[in-house]
Amino acid sequence: DAKTTQPNSMESNEEEPVHLPCNHSTISGTDYIHWYRQLPSQGPEYVIHGLTSNVNNRMASLAIAEDRKSSTLILHRATLRDAAVYYCILSAIYNFNKFYFGSGTKLNVKP
Amino acid sequence: NAGVMQNPRHLVRRRGQEARLRCSPMKGHSHVYWYRQLPEEGLKFMVYLQKENIIDESGMPKERFSAEFPKEGPSILRIQQVVRGDSAAYFCASSLGQGTYNEQFFGPGTRLTVL
């Protein structure tokens, strides 16, 4: 499985933007980039995914580097409810079924 | 539309007993995935099932662990003769199917404690 590298933890102030980086230097041309987050004592929840182009949805934006070796999850205005562990995951375009979660980034949001 | 349901939420077993974890996928979902999460770690893939079939069990320990997803009823993850190292949170996810992108929806997990 293609591996991802994320900082262990990050801190943000409430209502400020947050940029969560992910390195995936071994990504292949057929790998999707997914982001999930896990709030304390809950199962992971989907945030966003992309292949080559930047993506926006109601939760966040995903900026993908031109060489696809890195990506950044952008939360435009962090809230206290965004405090969670954020996982950057790769999976082959033909095999979404096996996710390798890694250790993720624990985001702390300060009021 | 109810989300993925897992029960029990907490399960305590003594070493050597059996643990049965249940997962009811979202309505209309025929694909189920099981993951295990040890404390302070990310989730580890265990097995992927479709109705009545195991598609990928590459993450499942070879002994004591089994999974099924019968035609009727929930998916079951069964752990026989539990050991302390089996203590973990077990998460189930479901999706509509393959092909175009299918988001995995996760349940709240079952926290297994082996005494």
Side-chain angles (χ1 to χ4, degrees):
Chain A
D1 299 310
K3 295 292 194 290
T4 61
T5 304
Q6 299 176 253
N8 288 333
S9 63
M10 290 185 66
E11 202 162 74
S12 169
N13 293 317
E14 197 175 10
E15 298 192 3
E16 289 186 356
V18 183
H19 290 233
L20 297 165
C22 180
N23 287 320
H24 29 78
S25 58
T26 60
I27 191 171
S28 77
T30 55
D31 283 339
Y32 265 100
I33 302 161
H34 316 260
W35 283 82
Y36 276 70
R37 72 180 186 181
Q38 186 175 22
L39 279 66
S41 301
Q42 294 187 28
E45 66 172 342
Y46 168 83
V47 178
I48 201 166
H49 78 280
L51 186 60
T52 55
S53 305
N54 294 344
V55 183
N56 299 295
N57 66 22
R58 63 174 179 82
M59 286 182 72
S61 295
L62 176 60
I64 302 173
E66 199 170 325
D67 62 5
R68 300 209 327 125
K69 292 183 185 299
S70 66
S71 60
T72 301
L73 178 70
I74 302 165
L75 306 179
H76 296 287
R77 288 182 68 218
T79 69
L80 296 177
R81 291 185 301 172
D82 291 323
V85 178
Y86 287 78
Y87 295 100
C88 169
I89 303 161
L90 302 183
S91 70
I93 194 171
Y94 51 82
N95 183 16
F96 299 125
N97 307 309
K98 191 191 307 186
F99 283 173
Y100 175 79
F101 271 78
S103 299
T105 296
K106 186 172 185 178
L107 175 65
N108 181 37
V109 180
K110 296 186 296 183
Chain B
N1 187 13
V4 177
M5 299 178 69
Q6 291 188 248
N7 66 82
R9 294 290 308 275
H10 299 273
L11 181 62
V12 179
R13 285 286 179 267
R14 296 190 181 279
R15 281 180 296 169
Q17 291 184 320
E18 178 180 287
R20 277 180 175 251
L21 287 61
R22 293 175 185 77
C23 169
S24 296
M26 286 181 70
K27 187 176 181 181
H29 287 192
S30 58
H31 297 243
V32 165
Y33 318 82
W34 286 93
Y35 295 81
R36 177 165 63 178
Q37 185 175 34
L38 296 172
E40 306 303 319
E41 294 187 12
L43 281 72
K44 299 286 193 289
F45 169 82
M46 298 181 74
V47 62
Y48 160 47
L49 310 101
Q50 292 180 27
K51 282 286 186 181
E52 301 185 273
N53 291 304
I54 296 175
I55 306 303
D56 182 346
E57 55 182 348
S58 57
M60 193 93 101
K62 293 288 185 282
E63 297 179 350
R64 302 187 298 107
F65 285 73
S66 63
E68 63 176 12
F69 188 17
K71 188 176 180 181
E72 301 291 337
S75 175
I76 306 286
L77 179 68
R78 183 183 176 203
I79 311 172
Q80 295 178 291
Q81 300 174 333
V82 296
V83 300
R84 289 220 173 100
D86 296 333
S87 294
Y90 292 83
F91 291 95
C92 163
S94 72
S95 71
L96 272 173
Q98 291 182 290
T100 54
Y101 189 84
N102 281 278
E103 175 186 342
Q104 291 190 23
F105 293 84
F106 283 81
T110 293
R111 279 148 185 85
L112 172 65
T113 301
V114 180
L115 301 176

